[in-house]
Amino acid sequence: MTEAVRGFWVASATPLAAGGSVDSAKLAAHAKHLFGKGVDGVVLFGTTGEGTSFNVAERIATIEAVLKAGVPAERIGIGGGFPAITDSIALSRAVLGLGLRHVLLLPPYFDRSVTPEGIEDAFAAIIDGVADDRLRASLYHIPQVSGVAIPTSAAANLRRRYGKLVAGLKDSSGDFKQFQAFREAAPELAITVGNEADIARAIAAGGAGTICGMANVVPELVKGMLDGRDVEARMQAAVDVVLKTPSFLATLKAILAAQTGDAGWLRVRPPLRALSDGAAFKRKLDELMAPAIA
């Protein structure tokens, strides 16, 4: 089992059943489909997976079902961020007991006036509360969404304090200078990027790989970037197709519905609103995928 998230991981979308619960069978099938495209692992209930809309019990029940469906524990990471530290501790303990090790931890969000020391204290309280050497935490930096940044000093101090228990950091800021700052401050952390267009240069600068959402719909393009192919312009164009819409998550699910012919993928949880059709977005992505990536 890997000590840190490295290589090609997908921030998986979360399919929902008609009543709004997680469709675990479809989620397991989606993960297996992605593995067939060269994906190393999936992170469930991250930002792309509408993670903050699901409570501790729902996340645990989904992991149990996905494991039962045959998705290996070593290929699963889970979003473990909550405003309440006790929820992060409870979820982390539970999934470690199920065989997972990779937990992505947001800083407690909502209070945006906290100090770097306070953020370090929050992460330390989670790690101390979990109290399990099997944990391989990745700090999750996505301040444009969470409203709370992870200071480079906090990342470096936590790695020094806890060693391999703080295994990595996912930088989804989209700011390559921020990625470089994390690399300089904490070179032992396995730092992955969420911004697909930055994958190639992040790896060249010592990055560990990617955990990204666009791989749900264009895994071949992401794999091409990881393999060093000249597809950065196509990747940026694909990202723009989705980002230039009112809702990245709803659009991504609409594309999945169009790609699979399964309208169930359209379902989202409030406050998101479902799109009625992703066919136009799918056509744009199909154009970017042709000619096929060799």
Side-chain angles (χ1 to χ4, degrees):
M1 189 172 285
T2 58
E3 288 295 297
V5 172
R6 295 182 181 277
F8 184 8
W9 285 61
V10 178
S12 177
T14 305
L16 302 178
S21 61
V22 179
D23 188 335
S24 299
K26 189 181 295 184
L27 180 57
H30 182 53
K32 292 175 183 178
H33 166 75
L34 291 171
F35 295 156
K37 297 289 186 178
V39 169
D40 297 312
V42 291
V43 173
L44 309 183
F45 300 116
T47 302
T48 307
E50 301 169 68
T52 54
S53 296
F54 297 90
N55 63 32
V56 173
E58 289 176 309
R59 299 189 206 192
I60 294 170
T62 300
I63 293 296
E64 290 173 336
V66 169
L67 290 171
K68 189 175 181 179
V71 179
E74 62 269 21
R75 300 183 79 170
I76 303 173
I78 188 166
F82 296 90
I85 286 171
T86 50
D87 284 339
S88 291
I89 293 170
L91 178 70
S92 299
R93 284 178 172 173
V95 299
L96 288 170
L98 294 171
L100 277 66
R101 300 183 82 177
H102 301 302
V103 182
L104 269 69
L105 296 173
L106 285 165
Y109 44 91
F110 184 77
D111 187 344
R112 302 187 181 192
S113 63
V114 291
T115 64
E117 293 78 13
I119 289 180
E120 183 178 338
D121 290 345
F123 283 126
I126 294 170
I127 297 164
D128 291 340
V130 173
D132 192 322
D133 287 343
R134 294 175 295 181
L135 176 67
R136 297 294 179 267
S138 288
L139 310 179
Y140 186 14
H141 180 72
I142 185 168
Q144 72 275 24
V145 175
S146 69
V148 181
I150 298 175
T152 54
S153 60
N157 290 341
L158 288 162
R159 175 67 187 194
R160 281 193 290 268
R161 289 173 64 177
Y162 293 102
K164 62 186 180 182
L165 272 68
V166 180
L169 183 146
K170 181 188 177 186
D171 176 22
S172 289
S173 66
D175 179 356
F176 194 68
K177 290 182 179 179
Q178 180 64 68
F179 168 85
Q180 293 172 313
F182 281 129
R183 282 285 302 144
E184 182 177 353
E188 293 183 346
L189 285 177
I191 302 179
T192 53
V193 290
N195 182 26
E196 292 84 356
D198 283 338
I199 290 172
R201 62 175 176 168
I203 291 174
T210 186
I211 307 171
C212 65
M214 285 297 294
N216 285 279
V217 293
V218 286
E220 298 88 352
L221 271 180
V222 178
K223 186 69 163 58
M225 291 203 72
L226 288 162
D227 291 344
R229 298 189 179 100
D230 185 18
V231 294
E232 183 174 336
R234 292 164 72 180
M235 186 74 253
Q236 184 62 65
V239 170
D240 289 343
V241 167
V242 182
L243 284 184
K244 292 178 179 178
T245 65
S247 171
F248 172 84
L249 299 181
T251 302
L252 197 72
K253 282 190 160 184
I255 295 169
L256 280 167
Q259 287 179 335
T260 62
D262 181 354
W265 272 109
L266 292 171
R267 299 185 185 110
V268 294
R269 278 195 169 183
L272 298 179
R273 299 292 298 273
L275 296 181
S276 60
D277 185 11
F281 300 112
K282 176 184 178 296
R283 286 194 295 272
K284 291 179 182 178
L285 294 183
D286 287 346
E287 290 171 3
L288 292 169
M289 295 298 294
I293 299 170

